[in-house]
Amino acid sequence: MAFGVTSAFAQDLTSKKGEPILPEAGDWAVSADASPFLHYLGNFFGKAGDNASPQFNFLGQNNFIMGKYFKDEKTAYRVGLNIGSNTQTKSNYVAQDQPNPATPPAGTPATTVTDKSRFSTTGIGLTVGLEKRKGKTRLQGYYGGEFAFYVSSQKQTNTYGNAFAGTGTNPGTSATPYSTNWNSNIDSTAGTKPTFSGASSNATRTTQIKSGTTFQIGVRGFVGVEYFVLPKMSLGGEFGWGIGLKTTGAGSKSTEAIYTGTSSSVMTTKTAGSSAFVV
């Protein structure tokens, strides 16, 4: 269920100043998803934490902006855009490895290095459709269909302050997993201290995870209602249902370890893709 605010600019009902209330042929309109504002109002009830103020910002995964062009007062072409971009970075300070002696002399401050993990995801969605309208009063019903396309990807990169030691020493690494309070897509083993014994051990730590690019195409039908509170400005609600095909390409995972000898190396393996019908 999507709720929105629509404003149409151009030239049957009129206001006290003689302005047309309803959209006409040649009008342009801009519509924005009102979900952030509804969440803001809803969070006044039963929420113990802070209630962040809503923003008109379509550069977010739950924001959407749509443009319309009215061919006539009963027909409109519509194009929608959604751009989602999210980046999270977490750092952990850990003690720097001391090869000899194993610990700093008494009274010497411990030197720290930084383990860092960065997770980013990007998604772009586009819709193109046709809208038909009914009604001759301020209350207007509408219906129609649209074609939708969406593409997204995500990536996680981990860097570590301490290197694997050629002598088989277990490198000092943050004991707190990077996944704490993070998105579930983030590798839960990143940042944990690997079990390591012997120069030829296969103990590993994740350095990078890349998902395959996801493509999604589909068609969607919708019905809605708008009430024009001011000339060419309305509040409305819309319900839609669609079906689509979603495919994800092969991804990769890179891990660091001392596989043989005394120097560490990075091995990259592919992860399988997938496909599915979505509704």
Side-chain angles (χ1 to χ4, degrees), residues 110-172:
T111 302
T112 60
V113 292
T114 304
D115 287 350
K116 183 178 293 185
S117 186
R118 184 176 186 272
F119 178 79
S120 61
T121 179
T122 302
I124 300 175
L126 179 68
T127 64
V128 179
L130 178 68
E131 176 181 300
K132 302 293 289 185
R133 308 180 70 85
K134 294 287 186 180
K136 297 182 179 180
T137 66
R138 287 176 179 261
L139 184 64
Q140 296 269 294
Y142 64 90
Y143 63 93
E146 59 190 5
F147 170 81
F149 172 79
Y150 186 78
V151 59
S152 64
S153 63
Q154 58 186 29
K155 177 181 178 181
Q156 178 184 350
T157 302
N158 306 316
T159 56
Y160 302 91
N162 290 313
F164 273 112
T167 58
T169 302
N170 185 353

Side-chain angles (χ1 to χ4, degrees), residues 14-277:
T14 59
S15 67
K16 293 181 179 180
K17 296 181 180 180
E19 302 169 306
I21 299 294
L22 303 180
E24 299 177 310
D27 283 359
W28 289 89
V30 175
S31 176
D33 187 354
S35 296
F37 296 87
L38 297 175
H39 292 162
Y40 178 70
L41 294 175
N43 284 340
F44 277 113
F45 305 95
K47 182 177 179 180
D50 294 337
N51 194 10
S53 61
Q55 300 178 3
F56 272 126
N57 178 15
F58 77 102
L59 295 174
Q61 294 179 328
N62 65 337
N63 287 263
F64 191 83
I65 189 169
M66 182 189 302
K68 296 182 185 180
Y69 173 74
F70 285 86
K71 177 184 176 182
D72 53 53
E73 67 276 9
K74 299 298 182 182
T75 306
Y77 302 112
R78 42 192 266 174
V79 176
L81 177 65
N82 171 259
I83 301 177
S85 180
N86 180 32
T87 299
Q88 303 177 67
T89 301
K90 185 172 183 178
S91 299
N92 284 321
Y93 293 107
V94 297
Q96 184 179 30
D97 285 348
Q98 302 291 327
N100 190 21
T103 58
T108 301
T111 302
T112 60
V113 292
T114 304
D115 287 350
K116 183 178 293 185
S117 186
R118 184 176 186 272
F119 178 79
S120 61
T121 179
T122 302
I124 300 175
L126 179 68
T127 64
V128 179
L130 178 68
E131 176 181 300
K132 302 293 289 185
R133 308 180 70 85
K134 294 287 186 180
K136 297 182 179 180
T137 66
R138 287 176 179 261
L139 184 64
Q140 296 269 294
Y142 64 90
Y143 63 93
E146 59 190 5
F147 170 81
F149 172 79
Y150 186 78
V151 59
S152 64
S153 63
Q154 58 186 29
K155 177 181 178 181
Q156 178 184 350
T157 302
N158 306 316
T159 56
Y160 302 91
N162 290 313
F164 273 112
T167 58
T169 302
N170 185 353
T173 303
S174 170
T176 304
Y178 285 124
S179 60
T180 303
N181 298 323
W182 279 40
N183 187 298
S184 60
N185 290 326
I186 293 180
D187 178 32
S188 62
T189 63
T192 58
K193 193 170 184 176
T195 301
F196 193 93
S197 60
S200 298
S201 173
N202 284 338
T204 64
R205 58 187 181 186
T206 303
T207 58
Q208 188 179 86
I209 299 175
K210 293 176 67 176
S211 71
T213 302
T214 296
F215 294 94
Q216 185 171 326
I217 58 174
V219 291
R220 173 180 175 269
F222 57 85
V223 293
V225 62
E226 288 181 316
Y227 184 81
F228 285 83
V229 294
L230 294 172
K232 307 301 180 73
M233 180 173 289
S234 69
L235 298 175
E238 180 178 300
F239 175 80
W241 184 89
I243 186 170
L245 174 64
K246 177 181 179 181
T247 63
T248 301
S252 64
K253 181 175 182 179
S254 299
T255 55
E256 180 189 18
I258 298 179
Y259 295 98
T260 59
T262 59
S263 61
S264 66
S265 59
V266 175
M267 179 181 292
T268 300
T269 58
K270 288 187 176 182
T271 55
S274 62
S275 62
F277 282 102

